[in-house]
Amino acid sequence: SSCSSKRGFVFGDASAPDNTLPITMAGLLRLALSTSRLAQPRLPSSLVQANKASLPFVPVDWIFRFFPYFTRDKVRFMLRFNQISVGCGLGFFYCWCHTPYKCDNYDHFEESMLYRYVKGSLEKSGQLEENVRIKVRHFYPQTAEE
């Protein structure tokens, strides 16, 4: 027919044998995979080797280069490095992330400038006293003696 070709199957050709479609598609798949592998950006070799030869975020090779006395004994350096890392982690947590007396009112609620502005305008108009009067401060209904 006019839709067939010498290399395989042309879409719409009902007379094409069944085994030519997978061969043609396998060639297209192989070509697409090899092209995509070539098109991927490559990382520098120093970054590829970093996870095998160094610790994250710390240039340990600089410590070995610039502080030879500190790294004279490799086992002691490892122990000191671990102690310093734990100390820095605890210091970061307790000194930076856990600032004492930040938002130190009892509700742990920082009043922003907008909050203070709205609260002041409610006080001026008298609506704040009405809102405080009708505010429910308990979950369960209260009896008269409480």
Side-chain angles (χ1 to χ4, degrees), residues 109-121 128:
F109 177 69
E110 183 178 358
E111 295 180 356
S112 66
M113 290 174 58
L114 177 64
Y115 178 85
R116 289 191 301 248
Y117 172 75
V118 171
K119 186 176 178 182
S121 64
L128 184 64

Side-chain angles (χ1 to χ4, degrees), residues 140-146:
Y140 296 107
Q142 301 293 312
T143 59
E145 63 252 6
E146 293 179 10

Side-chain angles (χ1 to χ4, degrees), residues 2-118:
S2 63
C3 293
S4 64
S5 68
K6 292 182 180 180
R7 282 197 54 107
F9 175 70
V10 174
F11 290 104
D13 187 8
S15 64
D18 291 337
N19 62 355
T20 58
L21 180 65
I23 293 171
T24 306
M25 290 298 169
L28 286 175
L29 180 64
R30 183 173 55 242
L31 179 64
L33 288 176
S34 65
T35 306
S36 68
R37 261 188 240 119
L38 292 174
Q40 289 178 350
R42 303 227 183 247
L43 291 173
S45 62
S46 60
L47 288 178
V48 173
Q49 295 297 325
N51 61 351
K52 299 175 185 174
S54 67
L55 297 172
F57 308 116
V58 178
V60 179
D61 57 334
W62 285 8
I63 297 173
F64 276 90
R65 186 183 317 152
F66 298 121
F67 301 103
Y69 182 76
F70 188 69
T71 58
R72 184 178 57 209
D73 184 7
K74 308 289 190 256
V75 175
R76 188 169 298 221
F77 168 72
M78 182 192 68
L79 175 68
R80 291 286 176 244
F81 185 83
N82 287 337
Q83 289 171 344
I84 291 169
S85 296
V86 168
C88 287
L90 289 174
F92 173 72
F93 177 75
Y94 284 112
C95 296
W96 181 263
C97 296
H98 178 64
T99 308
Y101 304 116
K102 179 70 176 145
C103 294
D104 55 349
N105 54 356
Y106 291 110
D107 292 334
H108 298 288
F109 177 69
E110 183 178 358
E111 295 180 356
S112 66
M113 290 174 58
L114 177 64
Y115 178 85
R116 289 191 301 248
Y117 172 75
V118 171

